[in-house]
Amino acid sequence: MASTSRRKRPPNADLARLIENCGASHKSLALRINRLAGLAGVETDYSHTSVANWCRRGMIPRWPVPVLLAQALGERIGRPVPLSEIGMGDARTPAADTGLGFPRDRADAVREATSFWSFVNRRDFLTGSGFAVSAFSTPVTRWLVAPADEAADLTSGKQVGKADLDELKDAADEARRWDSKYGGGNWRASSVTVCLQERAAPLLRGSFSDEVGRDLFSVTAELSRMAGWTAFDVGQHEVAQRHFIQALRLARAGGDVQLGCYVLTTMAMQSLLRGFGTEAVDMAQGAFERSKDRAAPRVLAFTKLIEARAHARERDARAASRALAASEDLLGRADTTGGPEPVWIDFYHHARLSADAAEIFRDLKNPRAALAWNQRAAAMPSGVFTRSVGMRLAIVGTAHLQDRELDRGLDLGNRSVDILARVRSSRARDYVREFTTALTPWRGEPAVRDFLHRTRTELGVRRSADAPAG
């Protein structure tokens, strides 16, 4: 594929050095760029020769390939890679760190968030860094040090009132409902980013009292968290990470410690599902300790649940069981004592804990415990929680496979595909992929071959061993 620049350029020593240091071959790098481009809706066909031309002849590929190149390299070395570091700093793009900032000053925080929202809806916005758990370090540290700003009033533009807040709250509630039913890729859930740019951003630059300001920052933080969750659900992990960081900062601006706890817990969940279990444990424990005297028991219970899931991914059965027991105790306290709770935590109850416990023990390769917990989980109506039901069927089916029950496992796997074929969620497909990997001992069976063919044709899912790297 041709480059934008035809004039003779000096060799790109910065790019060549970075590629050598990260240990990537030109061929593997080209394949990864082609895959990232496909995910972004851009058709490319780069080869090792293309990468060599970028290094030796200083050629610059067409936009948005420079950010894809930076993203592929960032994945290799585990940190964001700005375009300037690969010798392509003059490529047309917003700053590579847009949305990663967690400013101490509230006004700077508003500028950071609104700048990110203005870019993220552009078709050509690709961050160029991929998910890097290290990008959470400063936001998490600063939130743990000071989870609430002292004041939230502002005298600037148009007066912000209750009707404005109600509109944003309705948008958040609707996005949660559609996300649960159809996944993060549905048009209604994805419209949250438009709401942030066109409705929330102007209000954050308006005039409001301290009371209104705290509500405004809180609901905007929840919208940003929801935008991050929908992006995470469809596999846009780098965009999700930036939304979560901005949600955490806005929660601090609103003095909403329990929402900050929830956002940080969500960040921990993203980290553990991206393979950073130890970091996820640290984030979940930090969220709990910083909020245990200020958050509702149900909020704290969810934080302990995610800690338990992170321990399970790290194969620490004792720590996972302790955290799970703590979550169950907190849920019992929430049900017994009552008291005010935020609307965004109303999904977490004993049936949800039991369903997640089944996943925890599946990860711990303890199928009997997983199936016992599943018996305690109430059935969820597929018309309301479509994605959740589909993922749970895949989880329980995998536990049956671990228990050497092929027929029962395949039945649940097929039911999972029936549901998830209607859902736009790469996260849900990951659960099906884990199920197909558990089928490996029976891959010669006709029924298994038929199922694998079905997952490839209907969901685009292949066994992990067959899937491309990255």
Side-chain angles (χ1 to χ4, degrees), residues 22 29 32-33 35-36 39 68-81 128-132 237-238 274 276 469-470:
C22 76
L29 200 56
R32 182 58 180 156
I33 291 168
R35 188 175 182 208
L36 290 172
L39 293 173
L68 300 177
L69 172 60
Q71 178 174 343
L73 290 168
E75 292 171 348
R76 285 274 186 168
I77 62 178
R79 62 170 175 78
V81 174
S129 63
F131 174 86
H237 300 291
E238 68 282 3
R274 297 306 294 160
F276 299 94

Side-chain angles (χ1 to χ4, degrees), residues 33-240:
I33 291 168
N34 290 335
R35 188 175 182 208
L36 290 172
L39 293 173
V42 179
E43 185 177 350
T44 64
D45 188 24
Y46 289 108
S47 68
H48 66 284
T49 303
S50 307
V51 179
N53 286 334
W54 302 338
C55 295
R56 298 168 189 165
R57 300 173 61 188
M59 298 173 68
I60 298 178
R62 288 194 178 99
W63 180 262
V65 176
V67 292
L68 300 177
L69 172 60
Q71 178 174 343
L73 290 168
E75 292 171 348
R76 285 274 186 168
I77 62 178
R79 62 170 175 78
V81 174
L83 293 180
S84 59
E85 191 172 350
I86 62 171
M88 298 183 186
D90 57 345
R92 181 176 59 88
T93 180
D97 59 353
T98 300
L100 294 175
F102 194 94
R104 293 186 176 90
D105 180 75
R106 193 191 70 187
D108 290 339
V110 170
R111 282 190 288 272
E112 176 76 18
T114 55
S115 175
F116 170 57
W117 299 336
S118 71
F119 283 125
V120 75
N121 282 316
R122 283 171 32 179
R123 178 174 173 79
D124 61 357
F125 179 73
L126 293 168
T127 59
S129 63
F131 174 86
V133 73
S134 59
F136 281 150
S137 298
T138 296
V140 170
T141 300
R142 289 185 179 174
W143 185 84
L144 290 174
V145 169
D149 287 350
E150 293 182 357
D153 60 307
L154 180 66
T155 301
S156 180
K158 178 184 174 182
Q159 190 69 35
V160 179
K162 183 178 182 300
D164 298 306
L165 297 178
D166 289 343
E167 181 183 353
L168 296 182
K169 290 175 183 177
D170 288 345
D173 290 342
E174 187 174 22
R176 279 192 294 270
R177 289 193 297 270
W178 280 71
D179 171 70
S180 293
K181 188 171 184 179
Y182 297 113
N186 83 83
W187 69 270
R188 184 82 66 170
S190 61
S191 68
V192 176
T193 55
V194 177
C195 179
L196 285 168
Q197 180 184 357
E198 297 183 359
R199 294 295 299 131
L203 295 177
L204 291 174
R205 293 190 286 262
S207 297
F208 38 82
S209 65
D210 180 72
E211 180 181 1
V212 170
R214 290 189 183 280
D215 284 345
L216 173 61
F217 282 117
S218 290
V219 69
T220 306
E222 171 54 10
L223 280 167
S224 188
R225 190 206 69 83
M226 195 68 232
W229 181 253
T230 58
F232 171 47
D233 194 48
V234 298
Q236 297 174 352
H237 300 291
E238 68 282 3
V239 172

Side-chain angles (χ1 to χ4, degrees), residues 188-470:
R188 184 82 66 170
S190 61
S191 68
V192 176
T193 55
V194 177
C195 179
L196 285 168
Q197 180 184 357
E198 297 183 359
R199 294 295 299 131
L203 295 177
L204 291 174
R205 293 190 286 262
S207 297
F208 38 82
S209 65
D210 180 72
E211 180 181 1
V212 170
R214 290 189 183 280
D215 284 345
L216 173 61
F217 282 117
S218 290
V219 69
T220 306
E222 171 54 10
L223 280 167
S224 188
R225 190 206 69 83
M226 195 68 232
W229 181 253
T230 58
F232 171 47
D233 194 48
V234 298
Q236 297 174 352
H237 300 291
E238 68 282 3
V239 172
Q241 182 173 39
R242 293 163 195 246
H243 275 302
F244 291 148
I245 290 171
Q246 298 315 306
L248 188 66
R249 183 58 186 91
L250 291 166
R252 187 173 102 164
D256 196 336
V257 177
Q258 63 179 353
L259 178 56
C261 172
Y262 183 47
V263 173
L264 182 49
T265 302
T266 308
M267 293 161 65
M269 186 173 178
Q270 182 186 23
S271 299
L272 78 91
L273 293 179
R274 297 306 294 160
F276 299 94
T278 299
E279 291 83 353
V281 169
D282 292 340
M283 283 188 267
Q285 289 179 341
F288 180 87
E289 291 298 326
R290 198 65 176 90
S291 311
K292 61 184 179 183
D293 297 324
R294 303 173 72 173
R298 198 174 306 274
V299 176
L300 296 172
F302 184 68
T303 297
K304 280 296 177 183
L305 176 76
I306 300 306
E307 180 189 340
R309 288 182 57 175
H311 284 305
R313 291 283 173 133
E314 292 297 295
R315 304 291 192 267
D316 190 337
R318 182 176 297 180
S321 296
R322 281 199 306 266
L324 184 62
S327 182
E328 193 170 20
D329 289 344
L330 285 162
L331 269 185
R333 189 192 310 171
D335 292 340
T336 301
T337 62
E341 294 179 337
V343 65
W344 38 257
I345 200 62
D346 61 4
F347 69 92
Y348 190 47
H349 39 68
H350 285 279
R352 168 63 191 268
L353 178 142
S354 298
D356 277 42
E359 180 175 354
I360 287 169
F361 286 100
R362 179 210 63 173
D363 288 344
L364 291 170
K365 301 294 192 295
N366 186 341
R368 298 296 173 87
L371 296 173
W373 274 102
N374 182 61
Q375 290 297 317
R376 297 174 56 179
M380 294 181 289
S382 60
V384 178
F385 297 104
T386 308
R387 179 186 55 204
S388 298
V389 172
M391 292 192 301
R392 180 171 156 195
L393 288 168
I395 291 166
V396 177
T398 304
H400 278 290
L401 295 178
Q402 291 174 344
D403 207 29
R404 311 299 295 179
E405 297 178 344
L406 175 61
D407 291 342
R408 181 60 176 149
L410 268 181
D411 175 62
L412 295 175
N414 276 297
R415 288 168 57 192
S416 174
V417 174
D418 289 341
I419 292 173
L420 296 180
R422 304 195 302 268
V423 175
R424 294 186 61 191
S425 168
S426 66
R427 185 167 61 95
R429 283 160 175 72
D430 285 342
Y431 282 89
V432 177
R433 185 173 292 107
E434 290 168 342
F435 177 86
T436 61
T437 301
L439 285 169
T440 299
W442 300 278
R443 60 182 176 271
E445 296 286 336
V448 172
R449 291 200 300 269
D450 290 344
F451 178 82
L452 295 175
H453 176 73
R454 185 186 180 201
T455 60
R456 286 194 299 269
T457 56
E458 296 187 24
L459 296 180
V461 169
R462 293 181 285 183
R463 290 188 301 116
S464 295
D466 298 332

